Amino acid sequence: ITLTDLQTLQVVAGFAETDAAKIELGQPAVVTFNALPNQNLNGKVSEIDVNSTTVSNVVTYNVTVSIEDAPASLKPGMTANVAITTAERDNVVELPSTAITATGSSTTLNVLGSNGKATPRTVTIGLKGDSEDEITSGLAPGEKVVVPRGTAGGTTTAGGFGGFRLAGGLGGG
């Protein structure tokens, strides 16, 4: 017989050591389940393993996230993805990471000038997310930044102020 308390469901997810170093007890998390599409469940970090697990030379640390207000359709053993918020700032200048080039200690991006030409500009990066980074200096609101469109070629421009949330790591459970 297996006893399970369905009122206190938890997800145990493995995080790479670089992400695990930023995780603390009580941090908010969002948990999604393959079996429950379009449902984001809130949770909080309730435990962080002290000892690592190594599989195929990859060091990970298990983190337990307690799910808040779990729906009745959630069942033990379902595959989960976990995103933990490790830092957050509002009203910052943020840009796609693809617009930013780091070489050694120098970080630059291309600003579109009034003549329509891109000019390299040195900037300072604050928080770094999975796909967007905060610019703390070197760029003024309203300036247009050249952003690569991906592998198909071409560019587009971006800029402005917005909210910013860092979510680090994905894990399965």
Side-chain angles (χ1 to χ4, degrees):
I1 186 169
T2 301
L3 298 176
T4 303
D5 181 1
L6 297 177
Q7 301 304 310
T8 56
L9 291 176
Q10 299 176 324
V11 173
V12 177
F15 287 84
E17 59 188 322
T18 54
D19 290 332
K22 302 171 194 167
I23 298 173
E24 298 175 6
L25 291 175
Q27 286 178 322
V30 175
V31 184
T32 58
F33 294 86
N34 295 348
L36 305 174
N38 303 319
Q39 287 192 33
N40 294 331
L41 303 179
N42 293 322
K44 287 195 180 198
V45 174
S46 57
E47 186 177 333
I48 305 165
D49 282 2
V50 175
N51 296 317
S52 66
T53 302
T54 303
V55 177
S56 299
N57 293 325
V58 177
V59 176
T60 62
Y61 289 84
N62 286 333
V63 175
T64 302
V65 173
S66 297
I67 298 172
E68 301 167 355
D69 302 319
S73 56
L74 184 61
K75 306 290 184 222
M78 288 183 167
T79 302
N81 294 303
V82 177
I84 296 174
T85 302
T86 58
E88 184 175 24
R89 291 193 186 130
D90 293 324
N91 299 317
V92 301
V93 176
E94 67 179 302
L95 291 172
S97 303
T98 57
I100 301 163
T101 304
T103 307
S105 62
S106 177
T107 306
T108 60
L109 47 80
N110 289 315
V111 177
L112 192 63
S114 58
N115 61 359
K117 296 192 179 205
T119 306
R121 172 91 53 89
T122 301
V123 295
T124 304
I125 303 297
L127 294 177
K128 294 179 69 67
D130 291 336
S131 62
E132 295 176 341
D133 297 337
E134 174 191 16
I135 307 297
T136 58
S137 67
L139 187 65
E143 290 188 298
K144 294 188 179 188
V145 174
V146 178
V147 180
R149 279 195 184 162
T151 58
T155 59
T156 188
T157 57
F161 287 94
F164 190 68
R165 175 171 286 210
L166 278 178
L170 288 177

